[in-house]
Amino acid sequence: MPSLPSIPILYDRYGDFDLLVDSRRLRDPEKTLFFALPGQRTHGNKFVRQLYRKGVRHFVVHTLRRGPQVQGELDKQGKYPEATFLLTDDPLRLLQQLAAHHRRQFDIPVLAITGSNGKTIVKDWLAQLLQPYLKVCASPRSYNSRIGVPLSVWRLRPEHEIAIFEAGISEAGEMAALAEIIRPTCGLFTMLGSAHAAGFTDELTKHREKMSLFRGAKWVVVPADDTTSVGLLRKLDVEPITHLGIKGRWLEVEEVSLELPFPELPAIYLENAYAAATAAYALGLGKEQIAASLPDLHVLDNRLEQRAGLHGGPVINDSYSNDLTALAAALDFAEARANSGKLCLILGTIQPRSSNSPSTRVSAPEDTLLPLLHPRLTRLLTIGETNAGLSRSIAGARHFSHPEALLAELGNIPFSPGEVILIKGASEERLHRVADALSRQQHRTLLRIDLAALRHNFNVYRSGTSAKMIVMVKASAYGGGAPPVAHALAEAGADYLAVAYPDEGSHLRQHGLQLPIMVLNAAGHDFDRMLSNRLEPVIHRLEDLRRAREAGLKVHLELDTGMARLGFRPAELKALLTELRSGDYERTIASVFTHLAASEDGAHDDFTRQQINTFDAAYERIAEALGASPSRHLLNSNGISRFPGHAYEYVRLGIGLYGIGDAAKAAALRPVLSFSTRVTAVFELKAGQSIGYGRRGKMAHDGRVAVLSVGYADGLPRLAGEGRFSVRLPGGLAPVIGSVCMDMTMVDVSQLPGVKVDDEAMLFGADHPIEELAEAAMTIPYEILTGIGPRVQRVYTAE
């Protein structure tokens, strides 16, 4: 096999490329280096041809005989013109070496987090505490493995002032590779639990392995009662910084006592909050700075999530992770809420704790779990092969081989009134489905947001231009929920976020968004707050331009070239140029832009070209006055498709991200949003009978009517009533009959005999375009989306 170039040579060539290991996450084909990693179920070599067809030209391929071979394909060079193949017997090691070399280019604080539980939530919370004051690079989601760590470190960029990376291991010997990549200057250890115990000879060996991550660090945050960690750190010549929380109000850090407004959280999550706050304090944040963000810390989905149950008692969904430590904490939480004295545990697969002696067999689950469960439970339902013995050891327990078996039987299990039901399992078992089935439905109207389709659409636009991408997440990301949508777009590779008002930008900062944020409507009185949240206002008045420069803000100059809304008008250009020449604005102006009034409509192309020409001429004069050339942008979604020659340095993506409104790219885009509800009732009416308020609906014939759990308070416009719009039900379309009510809507299902209570009714989605609803309501899709009410549950899917 030919030898590979050295790591520094590879880095010089690929240092600004995306490193890709999952073909579904392709963003910029021309700037992607794909690592064909071997996996348990498939092999990355299989995706070379697919990615080549999508424009990828740089591959690291695996040549070991144990994996599928790509050599046969390489021999057919005619199939891969212009492609570069780097052949290696260990593509994962090459990925790690490149990331380690990248890390050595940065001289900033790098904090590493490890432990058996709580790594991701502590990382997210610490980033949330730091981001108003520092530019933070943090691991996405739970990227803490041998693959996830190098991908996380590769995200480091020159603008970052601090980095926070997770590191997780499952067996002895793994931490050395992660430590080489992260090279932490400081750290945080959460706790030692039972997770992955089988991968180590004993608990102390596992503890030492985890702590070895911090060799060479200056200090590491640990709980005050974790004397073993303190001792291991001192042996590594690393300073332990201990923390002790008291009643969710006081935090003792070494000899310092801080009174802080911790939010009301379960005990296990308070410990995580104590750790994050201590690390923020050790990194230099003051008490007031930490206190400002603490109230915004929230527990992640599927972690001790309490709901109203169908049987009167609470349902506690804790289906994110499952080991002995997490189970004990969840039982404490549930037992405190069991006022009726009745506590049911639905238990998924749990990993057993290993013995301290390598010669002793691993304990059976029932040996460890019985003392923990027996005195506390009134009912136990177990799931999974490893729990079969446990169910036989507890009188009255029932066992199910897999979650689907339990779901099929739930309706026949007689839960008691007021009984507390705790669902405890690992995320891969998807036991949240059990929690959903046992929870009282508050509202059955849903807006589903397909984040994978959103990323796909982003890449469709990105692949067609070399410009950087500003994504619009104003108005709660067109109704979809700004933080989840913004996080998905940031991970997809967006360069800027844009919001309408400062409060929207502050909200994104509170949820850990770190990209630059442009604020389209900002006033001078907001500038101090915008500076503290690193927001960049759009400027269209000279007095605001001066105040922004004095405040030290970066700004975006808006020019009005024909939209007749906001922006410096042609008559004001002379005064603007005079101001720019009079002061040092070169570092203040981040970009100059304009809005196109009708880029989607060919009938107005002459006007659009006139706008572009007016902008170009004004920009040249602005650049001359500044003595610099700031970035430019004027294209929206339709503009990107129809006027690609004017992409300039940035483009602004809006409604096209959702697969809406861009006819030129319709075939390539995927629908992101679907709005649906459920049938609440079905009944028969005679011809001539009236329906709803004002008797505006009347049956033209004997037939059937279905009542839907959606109304104008949820975002279904009243103008959609009286037959102007039809919803899609199983079997076909059903027209709205009578008026749309506040909370309900009636539809004629006379031609759909199979419709029944609880059927899904689609208002818009992949098979029922939103344009039909907008047309019926005499409006545009934007208004439909932004009018979807807050009580409609937003459901996000990632794949």
Side-chain angles (χ1 to χ4, degrees):
M1 184 179 71
S3 61
L4 284 168
S6 68
I7 293 299
I9 291 175
L10 286 176
Y11 185 74
D12 287 343
R13 181 171 185 180
Y14 296 110
D16 61 344
F17 274 48
D18 289 337
L19 303 187
L20 182 70
V21 298
D22 183 343
S23 62
R24 297 168 297 180
R25 298 189 178 275
L26 178 65
R27 301 187 307 180
D28 183 355
E30 294 182 0
K31 299 283 285 185
T32 291
L33 178 61
F34 176 67
F35 285 77
L37 301 182
Q40 293 180 345
R41 290 176 291 184
T42 188
H43 196 294
N45 284 354
K46 290 184 176 181
F47 299 97
V48 169
R49 183 183 300 182
Q50 170 191 326
L51 288 169
Y52 181 84
R53 289 172 178 167
K54 291 183 177 181
V56 177
R57 293 295 180 267
H58 302 275
F59 302 88
V60 175
V61 294
H62 192 205
T63 58
L64 288 186
R65 292 186 178 278
R66 68 171 182 267
Q69 296 302 298
V70 78
Q71 190 63 50
E73 293 292 334
L74 296 181
D75 291 340
K76 306 169 187 175
Q77 284 294 318
K79 287 192 174 185
Y80 299 102
E82 303 174 356
T84 298
F85 289 95
L86 304 173
L87 308 181
T88 176
D89 58 4
D90 195 345
L92 175 58
R93 181 59 184 154
L94 184 61
L95 172 68
Q96 294 171 340
Q97 289 173 330
L98 268 177
H101 187 79
H102 181 64
R103 162 66 183 92
R104 288 194 287 272
Q105 313 309 308
F106 296 86
D107 184 19
I108 61 173
V110 174
L111 185 141
I113 300 177
T114 194
S116 298
N117 299 90
K119 295 183 292 294
T120 298
I121 197 167
V122 171
K123 177 259 300 178
D124 289 342
W125 282 355
L126 178 56
Q128 193 170 331
L129 294 174
L130 294 175
Q131 63 84 19
Y133 314 102
L134 296 167
K135 293 180 179 178
V136 182
C137 177
S139 306
R141 301 190 295 277
S142 298
Y143 274 35
N144 58 35
S145 66
R146 294 180 300 163
I147 298 173
V149 167
L151 294 178
S152 298
V153 170
W154 196 257
R155 294 161 64 96
L156 267 172
R157 291 296 176 263
E159 63 267 21
H160 290 129
E161 297 169 304
I162 188 169
I164 310 170
F165 300 125
E166 294 180 53
I169 56 173
S170 57
E171 57 186 42
E174 288 185 333
M175 190 60 87
L178 304 188
E180 178 188 355
I181 300 167
I182 298 173
R183 295 171 62 90
T185 62
C186 51
L188 187 152
F189 184 74
T190 58
M191 50 92 67
L192 189 74
S194 61
H196 306 300
F200 301 88
T201 56
D202 54 57
E203 291 291 288
L204 184 58
T205 299
K206 181 170 70 170
H207 206 153
R208 285 174 176 154
E209 175 89 7
K210 289 181 181 290
M211 302 307 284
S212 70
L213 171 65
F214 304 122
R215 184 175 284 109
K218 184 176 180 181
W219 52 260
V220 173
V221 170
V222 292
D225 59 356
D226 187 354
T227 55
T228 304
S229 290
V230 169
L232 290 173
L233 287 171
R234 286 179 174 152
K235 287 182 179 179
L236 294 172
D237 198 24
V238 176
E239 177 190 357
I241 296 181
T242 61
H243 62 83
L244 174 66
I246 304 172
K247 295 183 178 180
R249 182 181 173 189
W250 292 91
L251 180 64
E252 302 284 347
V253 181
E254 298 293 292
E255 303 299 322
V256 180
S257 181
L258 305 173
E259 185 175 12
L260 292 168
F262 288 97
E264 290 189 15
L265 294 166
I268 190 171
Y269 294 113
L270 263 178
E271 290 297 325
N272 293 329
Y274 297 150
T278 302
Y281 184 77
L283 287 165
L285 262 63
K287 173 185 168 182
E288 292 75 16
Q289 292 172 311
I290 297 171
S293 298
L294 278 178
D296 296 316
L297 303 185
H298 300 289
V299 177
L300 301 178
D301 290 343
N302 296 332
R303 293 183 176 183
L304 294 181
E305 176 186 80
Q306 185 171 330
R307 311 172 177 182
L310 290 173
H311 306 280
V315 170
I316 300 168
N317 174 26
D318 196 19
S319 56
Y320 184 86
S321 62
N322 199 17
D323 59 48
L324 289 174
T325 306
L327 174 60
L331 283 168
D332 288 342
F333 181 80
E335 194 172 32
R337 283 147 183 82
N339 298 327
S340 65
K342 299 174 181 177
L343 175 57
C344 169
L345 172 63
I346 298 176
L347 181 64
T349 302
I350 189 165
Q351 190 164 5
R353 184 186 296 270
S354 65
S355 167
N356 286 338
S357 170
S359 61
T360 305
R361 70 175 181 88
V362 173
S363 301
E366 56 268 27
D367 295 343
T368 310
L369 289 170
L370 276 173
L372 180 65
L373 303 180
H374 184 68
R376 313 169 84 163
L377 302 180
T378 53
R379 187 199 304 263
L380 175 65
L381 308 177
T382 60
I383 302 167
E385 180 182 350
T386 58
N387 281 334
L390 176 66
S391 65
R392 291 192 293 268
S393 302
I394 296 181
R398 292 187 61 181
H399 180 68
F400 300 87
S401 58
H402 49 78
E404 287 71 22
L406 172 60
L407 285 165
E409 187 65 18
L410 270 182
N412 299 320
I413 297 176
F415 292 99
S416 304
E419 184 173 8
V420 174
I421 303 173
L422 170 63
I423 295 100
K424 192 77 186 80
S427 56
E428 59 267 21
E429 293 177 298
R430 300 172 62 213
L431 294 188
H432 66 273
R433 296 173 296 166
V434 178
D436 292 342
L438 291 171
S439 300
R440 186 183 307 150
Q441 296 288 338
Q442 300 297 316
H443 193 38
R444 301 197 298 168
T445 301
L446 305 175
L447 180 67
R448 293 184 177 88
I449 300 96
D450 185 342
L451 298 179
L454 184 79
R455 288 191 291 265
H456 167 85
N457 294 346
F458 175 88
N459 288 326
V460 167
Y461 283 99
R462 186 178 185 182
S463 63
T465 178
S466 60
K468 294 182 178 180
M469 313 300 281
I470 300 171
V471 293
M472 312 301 290
V473 289
K474 61 181 181 176
S476 193
Y478 299 102
V485 168
H487 275 294
L489 292 170
E491 291 172 8
D495 300 286
Y496 251 94
L497 304 173
V499 297
Y501 296 102
D503 284 346
E504 294 178 328
S506 299
H507 184 61
L508 292 175
R509 290 291 186 229
Q510 290 165 6
H511 282 79
L513 271 301
Q514 300 164 37
L515 288 178
I517 299 177
M518 179 172 67
V519 180
L520 298 170
N521 297 281
H525 60 77
D526 291 316
F527 284 177
D528 288 342
R529 183 160 58 105
M530 293 182 70
L531 182 65
S532 67
N533 282 300
R534 295 184 290 115
L535 306 178
E536 301 175 9
V538 166
I539 297 295
H540 53 87
R541 300 195 313 160
L542 286 178
E543 51 266 45
D544 285 342
L545 179 59
R546 297 185 189 106
R547 292 179 66 176
R549 183 189 61 179
E550 293 167 1
L553 285 166
K554 284 187 176 182
V555 305
H556 303 264
L557 292 182
E558 181 176 2
L559 306 182
D560 182 6
T561 59
M563 185 74 168
R565 196 169 61 180
L566 293 178
F568 289 97
R569 291 170 174 78
E572 299 170 313
L573 183 59
K574 183 177 180 181
L576 172 62
L577 295 173
T578 300
E579 178 63 30
L580 293 177
R581 292 189 187 101
S582 69
D584 182 15
Y585 282 102
E586 182 179 346
R587 296 182 180 180
T588 301
I589 310 301
S591 77
V592 182
F593 74 100
T594 193
H595 282 278
L596 299 180
S599 63
E600 75 284 357
D601 192 342
H604 297 291
D605 280 358
D606 287 343
F607 185 82
T608 299
R609 292 188 184 96
Q610 179 182 325
Q611 281 194 271
I612 294 171
N613 292 336
T614 301
F615 175 79
D616 288 345
Y619 174 82
E620 290 300 325
R621 297 179 68 185
I622 289 170
E624 181 182 1
L626 277 174
S629 300
S631 296
R632 302 162 290 171
H633 48 100
L634 51 75
L635 298 184
N636 57 9
S637 299
N638 278 280
I640 297 168
S641 299
R642 301 192 67 244
F643 299 93
H646 300 281
Y648 302 144
E649 289 76 34
Y650 284 94
V651 293
R652 300 189 303 272
L653 263 176
I655 198 74
L657 283 166
Y658 301 93
I660 298 169
D662 187 351
K665 282 189 166 57
L669 299 175
R670 289 162 50 183
V672 171
L673 303 167
S674 62
F675 187 28
S676 67
T677 188
R678 294 283 173 177
V679 174
T680 299
V682 180
F683 52 86
E684 296 183 357
L685 287 181
K686 296 292 185 182
Q689 285 189 274
S690 64
I691 299 164
Y693 289 116
R695 304 187 66 200
R696 296 183 185 91
K698 287 194 177 180
M699 294 295 289
H701 46 72
D702 293 354
R704 300 168 74 238
V705 171
V707 181
L708 308 181
S709 298
V710 66
Y712 58 76
D714 304 298
L716 179 61
R718 292 188 76 246
L719 280 172
E722 301 180 51
R724 287 182 288 269
F725 176 68
S726 297
V727 303
R728 182 168 293 281
L729 283 157
L733 296 175
V736 175
I737 185 167
S739 296
V740 174
C741 308
M742 181 182 289
D743 311 300
M744 288 171 281
T745 299
M746 286 70 74
V747 295
D748 186 346
V749 294
S750 302
Q751 304 304 314
L752 305 175
V755 169
K756 61 186 184 300
V757 170
D758 218 33
D759 278 347
E760 184 176 52
M762 185 65 61
L763 291 101
F764 63 76
D767 299 321
H768 200 38
I770 189 175
E771 288 84 357
E772 293 188 13
L773 177 56
E775 182 179 354
M778 294 187 288
T779 186
I780 57 176
Y782 292 86
E783 185 176 358
I784 297 296
L785 292 176
T786 56
I788 295 174
R791 73 182 182 185
V792 173
Q793 184 179 354
R794 273 68 173 172
V795 177
Y796 300 92
T797 57
E799 297 295 347

